[in-house]
């Protein structure tokens, strides 16, 4: 029998090299090569990942049943929204997030609220039955009919899966699973690849849904091989600050729905509670009469959400002024600072600039440019933005405010929250004025209008 072979595997693209290198020659990532040991498999035994319970045959679309893509309601409306309407039977979902963010809590609540007609197997490789019982009792899920298995040996898990034949299997977490066919420790790239491929292939052959819990590394990416994200049908990112109570579930990848949807939760003593009105939550405690605060309506999938952007500009005591952005792309902030300084003559180059999105929300939509720019103008002039004013629009390098999409939904959401003045791009308003339930629509053509707006409300 051949001796084990040592190779170095890239965690980003799975490229294998015989020796360690600082940079991966395939994808160019730095310090991504990890040492792995492979043991040669006997020629007579095929790879276990290729074994399936039953053989599949080619079918025409006309011969397929509608039941081949049934959805199961999880009982958690915000999670169903992110998944595209529910958990698709026969799919594989990867739920990733930082330690202590609430992944196990969310899945335990799913077990307690899901339809009782569906059989659920909860596999935990990190906690004992007693720990799971205490969490279920705290969340009010101890009376559910969920089957619990505390095991990290893959072969034992699959044997139990064959006996139970569940509709949904939850594995918490995939980094704790160990296969005897791989000669490496738990959590290694080869172990995660082998265990995930066997679990997913076995479940898909039986039409069962699989939810895998994934850990994240110190950079915030999903630990393990990149092929794990390609293998699953949906990747959900659990975001939030553990020092705050709010959590956001975001779809990074979804073959059965939109990748722009988010679910908002609040962590309480009794578990995660759904936040059906995120706009009111994000605007709670907003100060009045203070410069540097501006409201904006962004689209997260089909849901309009109103967030508060805060800016602070102070004279710098450093040779190179500081720039910090939390919840907003740093490069986008620098671009807007350059536009305002060039077009309006505002001297940001001699000041420290700080930007923040309240509530831990991450805004990547260009429609938030106008609110960021107005907040920056407000704080450097020390003139408050009126509390009844909300603005949305994309800013170009020439200082123009360009048209945005979904103006009707943004205006209605702003009017519902209580804003009476809604500033939108002039091009958007001229094409089709949105209905705002009595609120005044203010057309904005460029950044020059921002100083006029602040002067009129001064």
């Amino acid at each position: 029998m051949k001796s084990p072979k040592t190779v170095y595997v890239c965690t980003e693209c799975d490229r294998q090299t015989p020796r360690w290198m600082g940079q991966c020659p395939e994808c160019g990532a730095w310090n991504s090569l990890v040492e792995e040991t492979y043991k040669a498999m006997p020629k007579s035994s095929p790879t276990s990942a290729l074994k399936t319970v039953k053989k599949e045959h080619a079918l025409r679309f006309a011969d397929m049943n509608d039941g081949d893509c049934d959805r199961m309601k999880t009982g958690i409306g915000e999670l169903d929204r992110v998944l595209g309407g529910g958990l698709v039977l026969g799919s594989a979902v990867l739920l990733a997030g930082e330690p202590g963010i609430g992944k196990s809590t969310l899945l335990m609540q799913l077990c307690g609220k899901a339809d009782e007609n569906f059989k659920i197997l909860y596999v935990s490789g990190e906690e004992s039955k007693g720990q799971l019982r205490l969490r279920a009792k705290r969340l009010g899920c101890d009376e559910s009919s969920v089957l619990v298995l505390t095991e990290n040996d893959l072969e034992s898990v699959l044997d139990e899966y064959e006996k139970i034949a569940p509709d949904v299997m939850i594995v918490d977490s995939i980094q704790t699973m160990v296969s005897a066919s791989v000669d490496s420790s738990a959590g290694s790239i080869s172990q995660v690849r082998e265990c995930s491929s066997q679990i997913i292939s076995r479940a898909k052959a039986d039409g069962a849904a699989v939810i895998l819990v994934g850990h994240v590394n110190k950079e915030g990416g999903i630990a393990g091989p990149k092929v794990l994200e390609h293998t699953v049908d949906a990747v959900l990112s659990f975001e939030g600050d553990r020092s705050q109570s709010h959590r956001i579930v975001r779809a990074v990848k979804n073959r059965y729905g939109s990748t722009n949807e988010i679910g908002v939760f609040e962590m309480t003593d009794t578990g995660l509670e759904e936040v059906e009105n995120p706009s009111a939550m994000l605007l709670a405690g907003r100060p009045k009469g203070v410069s540097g605060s501006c409201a904006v309506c962004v689209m997260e999938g089909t849901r309009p959400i109103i967030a508060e952007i805060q800016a602070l500009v102070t004279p710098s005591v450093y040779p190179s002024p500081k720039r910090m952005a939390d919840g907003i792309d740093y490069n986008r902030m620098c671009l807007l600072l350059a536009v305002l300084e060039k077009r309006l003559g505002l001297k940001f180059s001699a000041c420290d600039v700080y930007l923040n999105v309240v509530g831990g929300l991450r805004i990547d939509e260009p429609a938030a440019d106008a609110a960021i720019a107005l907040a920056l103008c407000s704080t450097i002039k020390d003139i408050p933005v009126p509390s009844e004013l909300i603005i949305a629009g994309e800013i170009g390098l020439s200082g123009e405010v360009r048209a945005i999409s979904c103006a009707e939904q943004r205006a209605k959401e702003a009017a519902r929250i209580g804003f009476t003045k809604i500033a939108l791009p002039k091009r958007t308003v001229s094409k089709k004025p949105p209905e705002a339930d009595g609120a005044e629509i203010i057309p904005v053509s460029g950044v020059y209008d921002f100083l006029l707006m602040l002067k009129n409300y001064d």
Side-chain angles (χ1 to χ4, degrees), residues 193-401:
R193 183 192 297 112
E194 178 70 14
C195 294
S196 61
S197 62
Q198 289 198 46
I199 292 174
I200 293 173
S201 61
R202 188 72 61 88
K204 280 185 175 292
D206 297 336
V210 176
I211 301 178
L212 305 177
V213 176
H215 295 167
V216 295
N217 51 33
K218 59 182 180 181
E219 289 82 15
I222 300 175
K226 200 69 175 178
V227 70
L228 177 61
E229 300 178 47
H230 294 286
T231 305
V232 298
D233 300 305
V235 179
L236 305 184
S237 176
F238 210 161
E239 305 170 359
D241 190 349
R242 282 179 291 178
S243 61
Q244 298 181 359
S245 60
H246 300 109
R247 304 286 189 269
I248 295 176
V249 177
R250 188 185 305 272
V252 180
K253 169 188 175 182
N254 192 356
R255 291 173 179 164
Y256 303 103
S258 173
T259 56
N260 296 320
E261 297 287 355
I262 66 170
V264 184
F265 298 88
E266 182 179 5
M267 180 65 78
T268 64
D269 295 338
T270 57
L272 291 165
E273 293 185 1
E274 302 177 55
V275 179
E276 298 180 358
N277 191 359
S279 299
M281 175 201 72
L282 294 173
L283 292 178
R286 183 189 177 196
K288 295 183 179 181
V290 179
S291 62
S293 174
C294 186
V296 62
C297 186
V298 295
M299 297 297 298
E300 293 288 353
T302 58
R303 167 188 284 181
I305 295 180
I306 297 179
E308 178 189 356
I309 295 178
Q310 293 182 334
L312 180 63
V313 176
T314 59
S316 179
V317 296
Y318 303 101
S320 179
K322 294 187 65 176
R323 301 283 188 266
M324 191 189 75
D326 188 9
I328 299 171
D329 182 59
Y330 176 82
N331 295 324
R332 195 69 182 177
M333 177 191 68
C334 295
L335 183 147
L336 294 175
L337 289 174
V339 171
L340 294 177
E341 184 157 356
K342 175 69 175 179
R343 304 303 173 188
L344 299 181
L346 302 176
K347 299 301 181 182
F348 291 101
S349 57
C351 299
D352 297 333
V353 179
Y354 304 91
L355 278 178
N356 176 50
V357 180
V358 177
L361 187 67
R362 176 78 184 179
I363 297 180
D364 297 319
E365 191 181 9
D369 289 352
I372 298 172
L374 185 56
L376 289 170
C377 294
S378 169
T379 184
I380 197 170
K381 291 291 186 179
D382 200 19
I383 302 175
V385 177
S387 58
E388 69 273 10
L389 175 67
I390 186 172
I391 188 171
E394 179 183 356
I395 295 180
L397 294 180
S398 299
E400 78 280 9
V401 179

Side-chain angles (χ1 to χ4, degrees), residues 94-97 103 171 173-175 212-216 222-223 228:
L94 177 62
L95 178 64
K103 302 183 296 295
V171 180
S173 65
I174 189 61
Q175 276 80 11
L212 305 177
V213 176
H215 295 167
V216 295
I222 300 175
L228 177 61

Side-chain angles (χ1 to χ4, degrees), residues 112-152:
K113 295 182 179 181
D115 193 340
E116 294 183 355
N117 295 325
F118 293 97
K119 189 183 298 183
I120 301 178
L121 173 62
Y122 191 105
V123 180
S124 177
E126 300 176 344
E127 299 175 284
S128 64
K129 290 185 174 66
Q131 291 174 307
L132 294 174
R133 171 70 176 177
L134 289 175
R135 175 183 288 119
K137 189 174 182 180
R138 177 172 60 86
L139 300 176
C141 307
D142 54 333
E143 300 299 330
S144 62
S145 57
V146 176
L147 299 172
V148 177
L149 175 64
T150 55
E151 181 64 68
N152 59 5

Side-chain angles (χ1 to χ4, degrees), residues 379-446:
T379 184
I380 197 170
K381 291 291 186 179
D382 200 19
I383 302 175
V385 177
S387 58
E388 69 273 10
L389 175 67
I390 186 172
I391 188 171
E394 179 183 356
I395 295 180
L397 294 180
S398 299
E400 78 280 9
V401 179
R402 308 181 72 87
I404 58 175
S405 61
C406 305
E408 188 85 19
Q409 294 94 316
R410 298 177 200 264
K412 287 185 177 180
E413 177 69 9
R416 185 183 68 84
I417 295 298
F419 290 93
T420 58
K421 299 181 183 298
I422 304 172
L424 294 173
K426 187 175 182 179
R427 184 178 177 85
T428 300
V429 175
S430 60
K431 283 186 175 181
K432 183 182 178 182
E435 298 179 4
D437 299 332
E440 179 186 358
I441 302 297
I442 303 175
V444 180
S445 58

Side-chain angles (χ1 to χ4, degrees), residues 16 27 49 79 85 136 190 205 246 251-252 275 296 327 449:
Q16 297 183 5
C27 64
L79 183 59
S190 53
H246 300 109
V252 180
V275 179
V296 62
D449 297 333

